[in-house]
Amino acid sequence: MRFTAFVFPLLACGVAGYFGYNLQIGDHGLKARADLERRKEVLEGELAGLTEVKNRLERDVALLRPESLDPDMLDERARAILNLVHPDDLVMLKRRQPVPEASPKR
């Protein structure tokens, strides 16, 4: 009689400890949830950046459509792709800063 009275509470404490441990650290526990929340925030930021890029590309593509062709946009893209300029254009080149040479080793 004394043994069975001692076993049931011990078994109940073991089961409660098991579930408590898994609640905190398990694959679906509180720690995993916090990790998923942090990952969600990072991915939402990445999604916002990609959405902005997508909107910009859609705007650029819309300017190149035949029904709403923007001559300036067409000219800009053609010059960038072909690496050419119009004869009347003024081209300003940036002068690079000279790189200091390393002293020769003796």
Side-chain angles (χ1 to χ4, degrees):
M1 183 74 161
R2 202 179 262 275
F3 180 71
T4 57
F6 183 67
V7 170
F8 180 72
L10 186 63
L11 187 61
C13 285
V15 170
Y18 171 78
F19 284 116
Y21 175 81
N22 282 315
L23 173 71
Q24 195 68 10
I25 301 185
D27 289 342
H28 302 287
L30 297 175
K31 185 178 178 185
R33 182 182 177 101
D35 291 341
L36 286 174
E37 290 294 328
R38 280 192 298 271
R39 179 148 170 78
K40 177 184 168 189
E41 291 172 5
V42 169
L43 291 175
E44 283 176 347
E46 188 176 326
L47 177 64
L50 291 174
T51 303
E52 183 179 325
V53 169
K54 177 185 166 231
N55 290 338
R56 189 191 50 181
L57 289 173
E58 285 177 347
R59 180 181 45 89
D60 290 348
V61 167
L63 292 173
L64 292 173
R65 293 190 194 274
E67 57 272 359
S68 65
L69 187 61
D70 183 20
D72 290 333
M73 183 69 170
L74 180 63
D75 185 52
E76 175 187 338
R77 294 306 309 149
R79 290 178 189 218
I81 291 171
L82 299 174
N83 199 20
L84 297 174
V85 294
H86 192 270
D88 297 333
D89 284 346
L90 175 64
V91 178
M92 299 177 70
L93 301 175
K94 280 179 111 177
R95 178 171 275 182
R96 292 184 182 169
Q97 295 293 330
V99 178
E101 294 182 24
S103 62
K105 293 183 181 182
R106 293 182 187 187

